[in-house]
Amino acid sequence: MSSTEPAAAGGNVIERAGERIADVVERWMPSPFLFAIILTYAVFAVGMIVEGQGPSDMVLHWYDGFWAFLTFAMQMVLIIMTGFVIAYHPRVNDALQRLAAIPSSRHQAVVLVGVVSMVLAWVHWGLSLVVGAIFAREMGKAAFRKGVDVHYPLLCVAGYMGLGLTWHWGLSGSAPLLLATPENEFVELGIVDGPVGTSATIFSTYALTLTALSIAFAAIVLYLLTPSPERSAEITEYVAEEELFEATPDGGTDEGASDEEVIDEPTPEPEADRDEGPAPADMIDDSRVLGGIIALTGVAVVGWQFWSQGLDALNLNVLNFAFLFVGLAIYTQPAVYRERFGEAAEAAAGIVLLFPFFAGIQGMMTGSGLAETMAEGLLAVSTTGTFPVIAWLTAAVVNLFVPSGGGEWIVLGPSVLEAAQDLGIPIGHATMAYAVGDAHTNLLNPFWAIPLLAITNIRAREMFGYAITMLLALIPFLAVALYVVPY
């Protein structure tokens, strides 16, 4: 059933709400690029109305912002590309296919994809985004083969849940990692005396408790949201049926198989050239020894960082360095690793295009004073008890316009941390409460879903109705959790 058809009677309240919202969103939601352009005009107008800026001032703020976070943008691209390369390793893909064979019902399929995505996002958001997308596609294929009617758009949302809930509480969370980075912006501004270690943020009991509770609650909502068979649109409505039975090197289907042979074995040379053997250059390119030594050196450097500094060694640069060399250690062959990075570039292409536009939006919000006005207005009504909830809402609202956790934190962080210190709220507490707001409204803004859309062959408007339903269902839960869970 197409999600544009009227919802049938029956089903639980959440299931029916999901169908109705999905129908509206599929009719009206623009593509991610147009979404960014529309938001650009919206912030342009609001900046003039609220802050009294002239049109030329707003245009200049927009231009200045375009290139403000090139370093951070490169860090984000590396996160997604290193995650992509590891996710597409044959052994990882084989493990996903084996996992996809486990569920025997549509509810189990959706929940398993969601839980895997959310757990992986805590480890590495780029890995979660890519693995979640691949897993959603593999689960759709496995369900089709077994005759299980599962709604493919909801599977895709489940694969995206890590970006929409848990990533900013985890090891690749931009706000806590920026605070942990030596000589960061907040130290230079005098807001904090020195780096704030991840033991006070990511590894705090508060953040770990929120992560566990949120995964459990989201899994329940995904279960209730799963449409009945007659309302489900299978993967065949989005992916060509012949792609569901792709050939493997042994001539069978791809189910449960590994294509490692394709990666490890070189392409046969023409008969005339075989007697000469491989060229020295090819031997160097394919050398597992050279690749393995540099990979192990990089892994050893990361190990030394944690050995000497403990968990507080973790920051954005260490994270990217670690995944870059872990990936090389998995593949070992430098030439193959380079080829996989070339493939990963396609998944990052949409982010490379859209990041400057959202940076431009951020430039308008910062240059005009709009971001500070919004943050101060929300934080002004907070108390010691309600501050975590207000910090979450502040991040959630601004993330609608600037879906960049680190860039947004650079702009809003000073206001959030200064307000927290005035109220006696620990910096780690304020940061992690803020972090979930930045993640939460990724379920409305399709910016970070671009790689997932490409992998799953689905359009944003076909899946984001269910993503928005998840966003709405999480609001009362997060409000209560942030208010009740002690730091």
Side-chain angles (χ1 to χ4, degrees):
M1 184 199 84
S2 170
S3 58
T4 58
E5 297 175 13
N12 62 69
V13 173
I14 294 178
E15 180 184 339
R16 294 198 303 271
E19 291 179 61
R20 292 190 176 95
I21 294 172
D23 178 52
V24 173
V25 171
E26 186 165 348
R27 290 167 60 88
W28 289 98
M29 188 174 193
S31 69
F33 191 27
L34 267 295
F35 195 92
I37 292 174
I38 291 170
L39 284 179
T40 298
Y41 285 115
V43 174
F44 180 84
V46 173
M48 289 193 297
I49 295 170
V50 175
E51 300 296 336
Q53 297 279 306
S56 59
D57 295 326
M58 292 300 291
V59 170
L60 290 176
H61 295 323
W62 178 65
Y63 175 76
D64 291 340
F66 241 70
W67 316 117
F69 299 119
L70 287 179
T71 299
F72 179 71
M74 183 60 179
Q75 290 172 323
M76 295 299 100
V77 168
L78 272 177
I79 283 181
I80 195 167
M81 290 180 70
T82 54
F84 184 101
V85 170
I86 294 174
Y88 263 105
H89 189 276
R91 295 191 188 281
V92 176
N93 199 254
D94 181 61
L96 293 178
Q97 291 174 4
R98 293 180 187 280
L99 274 177
I102 294 175
S104 57
S105 72
R106 63 188 187 279
H107 294 93
Q108 293 174 7
V110 171
V111 171
L112 182 58
V113 172
V115 170
V116 168
S117 171
M118 289 183 282
V119 170
L120 281 178
W122 189 89
V123 177
H124 184 293
W125 70 259
L127 186 64
S128 169
L129 180 57
V130 179
V131 170
I134 297 171
F135 194 28
R137 184 177 173 118
E138 291 299 331
M139 187 66 79
K141 291 160 67 174
F144 171 75
R145 296 187 190 113
K146 291 188 293 187
V148 176
D149 296 320
V150 61
H151 195 49
Y152 188 61
L154 184 56
L155 276 179
C156 296
V157 172
Y160 186 60
M161 279 305 302
L163 267 290
L165 187 58
T166 57
W167 82 268
H168 216 152
W169 282 328
L171 303 182
S172 60
S174 300
L177 291 188
L178 281 173
L179 276 179
T181 301
E183 300 180 4
N184 63 70
E185 289 83 350
F186 303 98
V187 175
E188 293 178 356
L189 290 172
I191 296 172
V192 295
D193 296 329
V196 179
T198 51
S199 58
T201 53
I202 296 170
F203 298 108
S204 66
T205 303
Y206 177 73
L208 295 174
T209 301
L210 287 174
T211 301
L213 291 175
S214 297
I215 291 174
F217 181 82
I220 294 171
V221 177
L222 286 170
Y223 183 95
L224 295 173
L225 195 55
T226 303
S228 57
E230 60 269 17
R231 296 183 177 91
S232 297
E234 293 186 88
I235 190 173
T236 49
E237 295 194 24
Y238 306 90
V239 179
E241 192 163 334
E242 57 268 21
E243 295 183 33
L244 306 183
F245 297 95
E246 296 168 348
T248 60
D250 61 3
T253 68
D254 65 349
E255 185 172 8
S258 169
D259 56 359
E260 189 168 8
E261 298 87 347
V262 176
I263 285 182
D264 289 341
E265 293 187 7
T267 303
E269 296 290 335
E271 197 69 37
D273 297 334
R274 287 182 180 175
D275 293 338
E276 299 179 7
D282 293 328
M283 294 176 65
I284 294 172
D285 285 345
D286 293 330
S287 173
R288 293 183 183 274
V289 174
L290 293 177
I293 290 174
I294 190 68
L296 291 177
T297 302
V299 172
V301 169
V302 174
W304 171 252
Q305 294 292 322
F306 285 100
W307 176 265
S308 59
Q309 301 179 49
L311 296 176
D312 291 340
L314 187 63
N315 57 51
L316 278 173
N317 292 332
V318 170
L319 178 81
N320 275 329
F321 190 90
F323 272 86
L324 185 69
F325 284 96
V326 166
L328 182 56
I330 293 173
Y331 283 91
T332 66
Q333 292 175 283
V336 173
Y337 195 48
R338 176 187 54 76
E339 290 171 6
R340 292 297 169 268
F341 255 81
E343 295 168 4
E346 183 176 352
I351 292 174
V352 173
L353 170 64
L354 290 185
F355 209 103
F357 280 89
F358 280 106
I361 293 173
Q362 185 160 288
M364 288 191 289
M365 295 187 68
T366 306
S368 67
L370 183 59
E372 187 176 354
T373 297
M374 292 173 62
E376 290 178 351
L378 285 167
L379 295 171
V381 300
S382 66
T383 63
T384 302
T386 62
F387 181 87
V389 178
I390 299 299
W392 155 56
L393 292 176
T394 301
V397 171
V398 176
N399 188 59
L400 292 175
F401 303 96
V402 188
S404 163
E408 179 187 329
W409 180 242
I410 290 172
V411 175
L412 296 184
S415 297
V416 172
L417 295 184
E418 287 173 353
Q421 290 173 329
D422 290 342
L423 293 171
I425 305 292
I427 288 176
H429 189 183
T431 303
M432 300 317 282
Y434 166 93
V436 69
D438 171 72
H440 186 205
T441 41
N442 284 342
L443 292 169
L444 177 59
N445 191 324
F447 174 64
W448 291 112
I450 293 171
L452 179 140
L453 300 176
I455 292 168
T456 57
N457 200 39
I458 197 169
R459 292 177 294 181
R461 63 189 180 93
E462 292 171 331
M463 64 170 275
F464 264 81
Y466 285 95
I468 293 171
T469 305
M470 287 297 302
L471 180 147
L472 296 174
L474 285 166
I475 288 175
F477 165 77
L478 289 173
V480 172
L482 290 168
Y483 185 78
V484 171
V485 175
Y487 181 73

